[in-house]
Amino acid sequence: MKRVLTTCPYCGVGCGFYLDVRDGRIVGIIPSKSNIVSKGYLCVKGWHAHEPVEHPDRLKKPLIKENGKFKEASWGSALDYVAGRLKELKDKYGPDALSVCTSARCTNEENFLMMKFARAVLGTNNVDHCARTCHVPTVAGLNQSFGSGASTNSYDEIPFMDCILIIGSNPTEAHPIVGWRVRTAIDNGTKIIVCDPRKILPAENASVYIQHYPGSDIALINAMIQFIVSEGLHDKEFIAKRTEGFDVFWEVVKDYTPESIRDTTGVEPALIKQAAKLYATSKRSCIMYSLGMTEHTVGTDNVIAMANLSMVCGHVGKEFSGLYPMRGQNNVQGACDMGALPNVYSGYQPVTDEDVRKKFENAWAVSLPTANGLTLTDMIFKAIEGSLKCFYIIGEDQLRTDPNTHWIEKALDSLEFLVVQEIFMSETAKKADVVLPGASFAEKDGTFTCAERRFQRVRKAIEPIAGKTDGQIICELAKRLGYPMDADPEQACAEMASLTPLFRGVSFKRLEENGLQWPVYSKEHPGTPVVHLEKFIRGLGKFIPVKHKPPAETPDSEYPFILTTGRMLFHYNTGTMTRRTTNLLREHPRNFVQINPLDAQKLGVKSEEKVRVKTRRGELEVWPEVTDKIKAGVLWMPFHFSDQPTNVLTNNAFDPVCRIGEYKACAARVEKPSS
Ligand code: SF4
């Protein structure tokens, strides 16, 4: 038996474990005690991460659709066919009629190769990935405030905080090994503030629990800032020395008294003042947030509001403080870092910067497109309009992950050519003209970057089940299109590092032990556990005033509830892997809606009778869970069940800056199925 040390393929925490391999098959998982992230612990998903790898449903052969039915094809003929169609469409409509969706499930090296494929081979900047539906507001927002759109500090500081403000994040279920650190902090005496429409587990031990309405976060945070400054609890020295724009910012925020936003948030002013005082006066305070803050039409402004709060109190740019944007997917941080975005190359180097573009053109010996490409959201609009003809999707089930399923379906049906590279037959793959079987985390070498900006090694335990890694597939297509690319992961990492100042010192060799936290500016640079220490990456931290704006849809007499969505401990995203894992499926086999007992009583809803949840976009029949964990007037649903897809209900309204959809607040009603 051999033991292969690798990184968990589920959430963005980045735990380390060994895959036990016997006779070419994975037979078990053992946590790595020396892993700096997980220290010998794993959550229930991590313990079972090997089970879907060799599941009988795995796609093993390329499939080409003929007369509406898939037929198995050899790799050679499938790749010839895909390359031929890509060339034909590029020649006929131009490169910007094509687009690539890369994958936060794939390695950094594969994401680097995919963005290179889009830009250097297809000739378009139309490349994006699922950060568009999770943390792209973090990239856009923190970048404006601090000059870098990622976590400011490290996980190991969490248990030693004096105060942790958890807002729009459920670490116990969505990021359990960070949730464990929060639990350790509570045991150490750390004061917890939880702001969430759902009474999540840390709220049980919170010093202050604020159950505000979904979509009222800016009002809440601005009111905290207003109280802090009015009471003289702000860090005047930090504001004077390390920031700019405070006076203009204060002119906007000074009107947000806790009393004035009582109806907007549904929260008593005294509670807001208590939270504000605790956060401001604690010596070591941090903010932990996730998709509850970003998946809004004001997602970018929500992130900026949190950055403002941290700067007002001087709780950033030092150890034991800062912001922790908890990333959802195993490598969504890395996919952003690698430039799988329409406006930047690796390391957030703008595609519109001529010097940067010349550097990549020289290295790749090709002319590169000069304008920003389309975001994933705008690819959908353009497909429906008819100007986008081809979509190459890798490891993403957009028909289940994106808001308003019917709208996405219309876009996919409008394309002339859809290629999906996947490990299982997803709903999106069923729509494809060609399905190429990809490889799981256990079948490849490379790196993932977790939510604390740490590059960590991923190591191959078994041979690719369908014969090729995702990087090899892309490179073989590139070769057929006349641009040979090297699929070797170590070589791709070296090329990426040579072109990217932020990651210049990254190499497989240096990642062997505990990885490295970026920035890593040179081969000698030790990595960066805390960023913005002496000064912010942009120089001075920037106060940017943001105002409360209601969600795109608010409750009315026809749809009187606010529907919000989230993650559960036992499942992951669309459940592609966790619903193929016996023990996880056993715990939660079906979708449900949480409803407050007061609302259930008014509607006559009983736990043993299904209900119909309806929005302006669709409806679903699900089982109700009557619980006072959810605020009255609010419904909560998970989004892991592809046969009962919650996203038929969610709203395809988008943040104007970063184009993320509003998954976290839309108007809904509940009916009995018989009505
Ligand atoms: Fe995997 Fe996240 Fe669980 Fe760690 S916390 S074992 S990374 S799913």
Side-chain angles (χ1 to χ4, degrees), residues 429-475:
K430 286 178 192 166
K431 292 267 175 201
D433 296 288
V434 180
V435 178
L436 299 173
S440 79
F441 76 105
E443 297 149 52
K444 54 181 73 165
D445 281 305
T447 60
F448 292 156
T449 306
C450 70
E452 63 167 7
R453 295 171 281 103
R454 184 180 298 279
F455 278 84
Q456 295 190 107
R457 276 299 314 274
V458 175
R459 294 180 183 86
K460 184 165 94 170
I462 57 170
E463 290 303 317
I465 283 177
K468 295 185 193 301
T469 65
D470 295 278
Q472 284 169 336
I473 298 168
I474 289 294
C475 290

Side-chain angles (χ1 to χ4, degrees), residues 99-175:
S99 63
V100 176
C101 173
T102 78
S103 178
R105 316 286 289 144
C106 287
T107 62
N108 284 319
E109 294 66 29
E110 288 171 330
N111 274 284
F112 182 79
L113 290 171
M114 288 168 199
M115 79 93 178
K116 181 176 173 182
F117 176 78
R119 292 178 160 128
V121 183
L122 299 182
T124 180
N125 281 322
N126 292 344
V127 54
D128 206 354
H129 71 287
C130 71
R132 195 63 54 195
T133 61
C134 65
H135 264 291
V136 83
T138 293
V139 178
L142 294 188
N143 202 36
Q144 287 179 58
S145 300
F146 303 153
S148 164
S151 173
T152 59
N153 292 60
S154 301
Y155 301 150
D156 274 350
E157 294 161 59
I158 293 170
F160 305 103
M161 299 287 173
D162 296 316
C163 173
I164 305 174
L165 166 58
I166 303 172
I167 181 165
S169 179
N170 185 358
T172 321
E173 297 212 44
H175 303 97

Side-chain angles (χ1 to χ4, degrees), residues 555-620:
D556 54 22
S557 54
E558 204 184 348
Y559 294 95
F561 288 94
I562 304 173
L563 171 67
T564 188
T565 63
R567 289 195 161 110
M568 296 161 62
L569 174 64
F570 292 95
H571 285 293
Y572 184 75
N573 281 12
T574 55
T576 311
M577 289 168 71
T578 52
R579 293 176 76 237
R580 288 185 171 91
T581 304
T582 319
N583 291 349
L584 301 180
L585 189 61
R586 182 194 65 203
E587 292 301 317
H588 272 288
R590 64 192 186 198
N591 203 352
F592 61 94
V593 59
Q594 287 188 331
I595 181 167
N596 185 277
L598 293 172
D599 294 324
Q601 198 182 14
K602 271 190 232 159
L603 293 165
V605 167
K606 298 190 184 99
S607 293
E608 62 276 14
E609 287 173 5
K610 270 188 173 181
V611 294
R612 185 186 300 131
V613 183
K614 212 166 173 178
T615 69
R616 288 185 175 85
R617 290 151 296 281
E619 58 186 60
L620 269 187

Side-chain angles (χ1 to χ4, degrees), residues 8 10-15 42-43 45-46 175-177:
C8 181
Y10 281 119
C11 84
V13 173
C15 299
L42 295 174
C43 81
K45 289 188 287 285
H175 303 97
I177 296 303

Side-chain angles (χ1 to χ4, degrees), residues 248-506:
V248 174
F249 160 76
W250 177 243
E251 278 307 302
V252 172
V253 177
K254 71 179 177 12
D255 296 331
Y256 282 78
T257 62
E259 289 75 15
S260 71
I261 52 100
R262 185 199 314 243
D263 291 345
T264 309
T265 57
V267 180
E268 285 304 315
L271 218 49
I272 297 174
K273 292 175 186 176
Q274 211 184 324
K277 190 170 179 186
L278 182 56
Y279 174 79
T281 57
S282 298
K283 191 160 176 256
R284 299 169 160 191
S285 281
C286 71
I287 302 173
M288 188 176 287
Y289 72 93
S290 192
L291 307 189
M293 292 301 277
T294 56
E295 288 183 335
H296 288 279
T297 45
V298 291
T300 309
D301 286 355
N302 275 348
V303 172
I304 289 170
M306 290 183 286
N308 289 336
L309 174 61
S310 71
M311 289 191 290
V312 160
C313 301
H315 288 329
V316 65
K318 54 180 80 158
E319 256 194 306
F320 305 106
S321 67
L323 286 97
Y324 290 87
M326 290 313 307
R327 295 290 194 140
Q329 300 241 49
N330 56 328
N331 197 33
V332 71
Q333 177 69 58
C336 291
D337 297 345
M338 292 302 112
L341 294 167
N343 58 336
V344 289
Y345 301 108
S346 51
Y348 306 96
Q349 302 174 82
V351 297
T352 49
D353 182 314
E354 211 168 313
D355 291 339
V356 167
R357 196 171 56 247
K358 279 210 175 102
K359 177 174 72 175
F360 279 86
E361 285 182 335
N362 288 338
W364 293 348
V366 69
S367 291
L368 292 168
T370 55
N372 288 338
L374 295 171
T375 64
L376 212 46
T377 308
D378 291 308
M379 290 174 198
I380 301 297
F381 280 109
K382 295 290 178 194
I384 293 172
E385 267 174 44
S387 57
L388 191 82
K389 305 291 184 186
C390 166
F391 210 169
Y392 191 139
I393 302 174
I394 302 163
E396 184 70 24
D397 188 3
Q398 283 182 292
L399 212 44
R400 288 293 173 263
T401 56
D402 286 24
N404 190 356
T405 306
H406 301 304
W407 179 65
I408 302 297
E409 192 163 27
K410 195 172 168 192
L412 298 183
D413 287 341
S414 306
L415 295 166
E416 283 193 27
F417 190 50
L418 174 62
V419 184
V420 175
Q421 198 165 306
E422 254 301 354
I423 60 171
F424 293 109
M425 181 55 79
S426 66
E427 294 305 309
T428 306
K430 286 178 192 166
K431 292 267 175 201
D433 296 288
V434 180
V435 178
L436 299 173
S440 79
F441 76 105
E443 297 149 52
K444 54 181 73 165
D445 281 305
T447 60
F448 292 156
T449 306
C450 70
E452 63 167 7
R453 295 171 281 103
R454 184 180 298 279
F455 278 84
Q456 295 190 107
R457 276 299 314 274
V458 175
R459 294 180 183 86
K460 184 165 94 170
I462 57 170
E463 290 303 317
I465 283 177
K468 295 185 193 301
T469 65
D470 295 278
Q472 284 169 336
I473 298 168
I474 289 294
C475 290
E476 290 191 27
L477 275 174
K479 191 174 167 199
R480 282 168 167 80
L481 288 162
Y483 188 91
M485 283 170 30
D486 189 344
D488 177 65
E490 191 163 5
Q491 178 54 37
C493 181
E495 180 183 333
M496 180 282 296
S498 73
L499 287 166
T500 316
L502 269 185
F503 315 136
R504 184 140 295 151
V506 172

